[in-house]
Amino acid sequence: MRTPVTLLLITALAASACTPRHQAPPDPSAGITVAVIAGPLSDPFFGAVKSGAERAAADLRVRVDYLAPAASGELGAELVRLTRSAVANKVSAIALGDYYPDQQDPEIRRAVDAGVTVVLVNSGEPSWQKVGATAYVGQDEQRVGELAGQRMAEAGVRRAVCVNHVPGSPVMAQRCAGLRTALSHVTEITLASAEATNPTATQQAISGALSADPLVDGVFTLGSGFAELAMRAVDSVKRADKVRVATTDLSTGVLESVRDGKLLFAVDQQPYLQGYYGVQVAVQQISHGLRPTTPVRTGPLVVDRANAASVLAHNRDGGIRGAR
Amino acid sequence: MTRRPELATGAGVVALLVLFTALCGPGFVLSPQWIVQASEIGVVAVPLALLVIAGEFDLSAGAVLGAASMTTAIAHGYFTAPLWLAALLALAVGVAAGLLNGVLTVLSGLPSFLVTLVSMLLVAGATLGLSRAITGTSGVTMRSTDAAVVIDAPTVWWPVFAGAAAFVLSCTRFGNWVQALGGNREAARLLGVPTVRVRLVLFATTSLAAALVGVMQTIRFAGADVTRGQGFLFACVTAVVVGGQRSVLGACLGSVLCAVISAGVHQAGWGSDWAPLAWGVLLALSAGIGLASRAGSATVSRNSP
């Protein structure tokens, strides 16, 4: 029962992945399969990455497979496993996030050596040239923190808390480090995963940090859900008039709060574009040998009171900006 | 002390309250930020304690919480159903998941630890898949809710659950059945205890409580995402185990202990770097107390109300 199915799958894979390298087909992008490897779809942010990649696949008539580690797994090790299995399945290209460079870079280099076109998306600006990737599509994470810090300083913030909900992730650490370069005093609080998935515990952790330091006048969160919790935490310790909250990433709630002036701003990196351009770059490289020469930056794009309403209007188009 | 492990837990709670009040000022006990978290843990820890007393376990409570959260958010925020209907749907999802746990445990005869591990994966997976299939995303924002205070009142629900459970456990025939089941299931069955019905009710109540917490969190935080509840189960299990796994009072004290530690670590300004270490120390201490009490109570009847 299983053997014919496996055989069929192998035949289908071989047909879809190998044919264009040996023949000269009329359509240069025919038969291309791009594996997109990024974060778990339980995070709406990555839902937008996947939507963008699928739109590009439909526009360019190629095939896209979205692969992601389980939300609670060993992320670095699982990303390496996914990369290895994509290469084994003979995909034409891999667009992936380089979240844990120490663990992932050797495997990415092996994929490049095996002849797979690799594009780093969402994370990997420091290493895309080192590993031999075709391009990097994403944002400079350090710059995100710097920009946020500058904008918060302009709004009068002097002493800020940076809420890190993924301890151990270099991306989150870079954002907090960027914030530190622009503001004179930044404390970082890290949420253990048991706290990060429980909104009551998260709110309490943030309000606890505010109680511990009465001089704090700014909170910077690194995910849309955490911004909404931070605003509640500020209310619960009755410092809404003193403490300004800002965040990375968008949701409907975040956009409405920015529009209403309750949230200072939100820094967007346009994950839909990262998925779209990631596939686009890979296909152009395979079909025509064309590639961008510098990182393709989809962020940081600041959404503040001036443009929140227009972004909100587009957010209704099915998770383009992340969460509804 | 050795006969009533919940007294040891109570002493631990008092010691922690004194410690954190000294560190953070009188506001820590007078205007407690931790009371809502303690209530939410307590609402689930109380029925979970009854389940544990009856010799069963439920690993799926966190996943049910997430499923109920997304049901509420999708029904109210996406399909614009009235809030009461969305909440009822979510609670129905909870009861259904609990009955599934009960039926699978009874039919398969496998340990409920394994059965509910399976149902945890099934429920969490179905929540993610259905949410993305229906709404295209895994996080949904609620419409504005004004008339939601009635449901979102954890500090009311907790005493209600605890009072009802304590009464049932110590003053009713059902309570005797629960304790008999935990003593020896085969003996209980031969004595005429309806073992299947008791277990179905306990599983359903635990999942209903988890769903209720999910509904409350979704209303209070104006939305939900599919990762909700992943860390919640851990706190509930800790509360039950630390509370001595014998009584409702123990589970309630365990819930307070968990919430106080969680709040205190942050309010004292130690930095959350130390929170996991504090959890570990707490669990080690509770295991020590439990061992000591078991050694001392070998001749005392197993369950005290």
Side-chain angles (χ1 to χ4, degrees):
Chain A
M1 190 58 201
R2 278 182 66 182
T3 326
V5 176
T6 320
L7 262 175
L8 258 176
L9 275 174
I10 292 170
T11 324
L13 267 174
S16 65
C18 300
T19 327
R21 288 204 207 126
H22 303 303
Q23 299 170 359
D27 179 1
S29 68
I32 292 178
T33 301
V34 184
V36 179
I37 304 173
L41 292 174
S42 54
D43 184 342
F45 178 93
F46 292 109
V49 173
K50 186 185 180 207
S51 302
E54 282 171 346
R55 186 68 245 170
D59 289 354
L60 300 167
R61 299 207 192 110
V62 298
R63 202 183 127 189
V64 155
D65 289 327
Y66 189 92
L67 310 168
S72 51
E74 288 285 325
L75 292 177
E78 230 171 296
L79 288 162
V80 168
R81 263 197 297 282
L82 290 172
T83 310
R84 197 173 296 159
S85 67
V87 174
N89 286 339
K90 303 222 185 311
V91 297
S92 344
I94 301 176
L96 85 166
D98 189 8
Y99 302 100
Y100 299 91
D102 294 345
Q103 290 180 65
Q104 290 181 260
D105 282 0
E107 194 59 40
I108 296 175
R109 231 175 261 127
R110 267 193 285 278
V112 173
D113 292 344
V116 177
T117 300
V118 171
V119 181
L120 298 191
V121 294
N122 185 230
S123 183
E125 170 136 10
S127 50
W128 71 278
Q129 282 162 317
K130 263 185 293 176
V131 296
T134 301
Y136 169 68
V137 182
Q139 63 180 351
D140 177 347
E141 300 292 350
Q142 174 98 10
R143 176 81 195 114
V144 173
E146 283 170 21
L147 185 68
Q150 287 159 5
R151 294 291 292 258
M152 288 178 88
E154 281 166 26
V157 172
R158 293 288 166 267
R159 203 174 170 90
V161 171
C162 189
V163 182
N164 181 349
H165 63 274
V166 193
S169 152
V171 171
M172 301 297 170
Q174 283 163 22
R175 291 182 188 171
C176 286
L179 193 71
R180 221 169 259 130
T181 62
L183 289 169
S184 55
H185 192 283
V186 175
T187 47
E188 184 177 329
I189 62 167
T190 49
L191 302 172
S193 67
E195 288 179 312
T197 54
N198 181 350
T200 309
T202 300
Q203 181 191 326
Q204 195 173 83
I206 299 172
S207 61
L210 293 171
S211 305
D213 185 351
L215 293 177
V216 166
D217 55 4
V219 178
F220 184 52
T221 60
L222 306 179
S224 54
F226 296 91
E228 296 176 46
L229 295 174
M231 286 187 283
R232 295 189 154 269
V234 169
D235 282 340
S236 76
V237 295
K238 301 187 176 60
R239 278 163 52 193
D241 51 335
K242 295 195 194 76
V243 181
R244 307 306 308 269
V245 182
T247 187
T248 65
D249 303 334
L250 307 181
S251 69
T252 304
V254 160
L255 288 166
E256 284 170 355
S257 300
V258 172
R259 180 194 63 197
D260 301 341
K262 284 185 281 186
L263 198 64
L264 202 50
F265 60 83
V267 187
D268 187 19
Q269 57 173 311
Q270 307 187 90
Y272 180 89
L273 275 189
Q274 293 177 359
Y276 194 96
Y277 288 165
V279 172
Q280 175 83 270
V281 167
V283 170
Q284 297 308 333
Q285 168 69 18
I286 294 171
S287 307
H288 309 295
L290 301 174
R291 60 196 284 182
T293 52
T294 58
V296 180
R297 296 233 170 87
T298 60
L301 177 88
V302 175
V303 178
D304 58 14
R305 222 170 166 172
N307 57 348
S310 74
V311 175
L312 203 49
H314 285 296
N315 193 46
R316 304 284 174 207
D317 326 337
I320 300 295
R321 291 282 190 169
R324 266 174 203 277
Chain B
M1 183 95 165
T2 49
R3 284 171 55 190
R4 299 293 299 264
E6 54 266 40
L7 291 185
T9 317
V13 169
V14 172
L16 279 173
L17 285 175
V18 170
L19 170 72
F20 284 123
T21 308
L23 288 169
C24 315
F28 192 81
V29 273
L30 294 179
S31 55
Q33 291 179 20
W34 44 265
I35 196 78
V36 173
Q37 193 183 2
S39 306
E40 287 183 355
I41 297 172
V43 165
V44 180
V46 164
L48 185 62
L50 294 197
L51 199 60
V52 169
I53 289 171
E56 300 290 350
F57 202 76
D58 188 354
L59 279 174
S60 69
V64 170
L65 191 160
S69 296
M70 286 309 290
T71 306
T72 313
I74 291 173
H76 181 76
Y78 187 78
F79 288 117
T80 68
L83 183 64
W84 61 266
L85 182 63
L88 268 184
L89 264 175
L91 296 179
V93 166
V95 172
L99 289 176
L100 179 75
N101 282 336
V103 168
L104 286 180
T105 306
V106 169
L107 284 185
S108 69
L110 290 168
S112 50
F113 193 91
L114 181 62
V115 170
T116 55
L117 177 69
V118 169
S119 67
M120 172 185 84
L121 295 169
L122 291 178
V123 171
T127 307
L128 172 60
L130 287 175
S131 300
R132 295 225 357 121
I134 295 169
T135 67
T137 175
S138 49
V140 175
T141 304
M142 297 280 276
R143 292 182 289 129
S144 61
T145 49
D146 298 326
V149 195
V150 188
I151 308 171
D152 181 23
T155 47
V156 175
W157 288 115
W158 182 30
V160 168
F161 270 77
F167 174 77
V168 165
L169 190 60
S170 54
C171 305
T172 67
R173 203 163 55 148
F174 189 87
N176 291 337
W177 291 343
V178 169
Q179 309 218 7
L181 258 179
N184 183 332
R185 189 188 304 155
E186 193 49 33
R189 197 183 60 78
L190 291 173
L191 281 170
V193 173
T195 56
V196 171
R197 201 204 325 160
V198 171
R199 283 186 286 168
L200 282 183
V201 169
L202 291 176
F203 275 114
T205 315
T206 307
S207 291
L208 175 70
L212 177 64
V213 173
V215 172
M216 291 193 290
Q217 288 190 345
T218 306
I219 293 171
R220 192 165 346 120
F221 301 108
D225 62 74
V226 296
T227 63
R228 286 278 167 86
Q230 283 178 1
F232 187 77
L233 177 77
F234 179 61
C236 297
V237 172
T238 310
V240 171
V241 173
V242 167
Q245 309 176 51
R246 289 188 194 187
S247 69
V248 172
L249 178 64
C252 290
L253 288 169
S255 307
V256 174
L257 197 83
C258 289
V260 164
I261 290 187
S262 172
V265 167
H266 290 291
Q267 280 191 47
W270 292 344
S272 37
D273 302 359
W274 297 106
L277 182 67
W279 284 102
V281 170
L282 167 75
L283 275 177
L285 281 177
S286 81
I289 291 168
L291 268 180
S293 73
R294 228 168 295 154
S297 65
T299 54
V300 182
S301 72
R302 189 177 176 279
N303 294 308
S304 42

